[in-house]
């Protein structure tokens, strides 16, 4: 599993602890990877997790079976989100999957926590946005991926799965 923009490595550590056969790569900007390395070593995972510095807009580590983007795409407008996803698509194995952990907005006009977060993302990240299932399908499609599943995790969070077309 490649955790793109994996931050300090807490999600990768949790996944690796739950899946002892799995190996992981944490990919993030160089100044972030120092903290990630410390987290993974403290969790006893240094032998199963590689930390790779880099810029997701330039490319991501190749050869992964699963690419995780947790709270990443909502920071970016659609054009940048497509750029990130295209880099993931080009790097992943032919049968690989993309897992996106984000809020998915409802199609209805009902009140929803994600709508408040959407306004904050727009203000803070100059184009960041929460998206509906349909909007995720469109962004994924422009990147050469197809949305295969959306699982509600509770508290507004969803796990979105995509594969190559």
């Amino acid at each position: 599993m490649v955790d793109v923009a994996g931050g300090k490595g807490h999600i990768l550590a949790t996944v690796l602890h739950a899946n002892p056969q799995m190996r992981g790569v944490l990919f993030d900007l160089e100044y972030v990877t120092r903290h990630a390395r410390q987290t993974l070593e403290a969790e006893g995972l240094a032998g199963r997790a590689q930390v790779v510095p880099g810029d997701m807009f330039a490319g991501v580590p190749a050869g992964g079976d699963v690419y995780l983007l947790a709270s990443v795409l909502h920071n970016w407008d659609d054009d940048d989100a497509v750029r990130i996803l295209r880099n993931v698509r080009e790097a992943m194995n032919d049968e690989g999957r993309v897992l996106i952990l984000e809020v998915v907005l409802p199609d209805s006009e009902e009140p929803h926590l994600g709508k408040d977060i959407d306004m904050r993302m727009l203000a803070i990240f100059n184009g960041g946005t929460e998206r509906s299932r349909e909007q995720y399908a469109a962004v994924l499609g422009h990147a050469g991926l197809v949305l295969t599943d959306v699982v509600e995790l509770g508290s507004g969070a969803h796990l979105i799965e995509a594969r190559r077309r």
Side-chain angles (χ1 to χ4, degrees):
M1 183 172 103
V2 179
D3 189 356
V4 177
K8 292 183 179 178
H10 297 292
I11 293 175
L12 181 59
T14 300
V15 171
L16 292 177
H17 281 307
N19 298 280
Q21 76 290 356
M22 185 181 282
R23 299 184 58 76
V25 174
L26 186 134
F27 179 74
D28 211 322
L29 297 170
E30 187 168 359
Y31 77 92
V32 177
T33 58
R34 282 178 264 137
H35 301 291
R37 197 170 278 111
Q38 292 170 352
T39 298
L40 295 168
E41 286 174 4
E43 292 284 337
L45 296 168
R48 293 178 42 216
Q50 181 182 5
V51 177
V52 177
D55 178 357
M56 66 187 169
F57 288 104
V60 299
D65 295 319
V66 176
Y67 284 79
L68 174 66
L69 294 100
S71 298
V72 173
L73 296 180
H74 75 160
N75 294 333
W76 306 101
D77 65 23
D78 287 352
D79 291 340
D80 285 337
V82 169
R83 254 176 74 199
I84 295 164
L85 289 166
R86 279 185 182 149
N87 287 339
V88 168
R89 185 192 182 283
E90 292 198 14
M92 66 195 280
N93 290 334
D94 289 341
E95 298 299 318
R97 294 181 299 155
V98 180
L99 299 177
I100 302 166
L101 182 60
E102 295 279 2
V103 169
V104 174
L105 296 175
D107 291 326
S108 68
E109 295 299 320
E110 69 191 50
H112 189 273
L113 175 63
K115 293 177 183 180
D116 178 62
I117 297 169
D118 186 36
M119 295 305 295
R120 294 171 193 267
M121 297 308 295
L122 178 62
I124 295 169
F125 291 100
N126 192 28
T129 185
E130 302 300 335
R131 295 174 175 89
S132 67
R133 180 185 180 116
E134 182 178 300
Q135 289 168 320
Y136 272 110
V139 167
L140 289 161
H142 289 302
L145 299 162
V146 61
L147 188 149
T148 55
D149 200 9
V150 177
V151 178
E152 186 173 350
L153 302 176
S155 299
H158 293 78
L159 188 65
I160 303 157
E161 180 185 52
R163 296 184 182 271
R164 288 176 179 239
R165 277 198 229 191

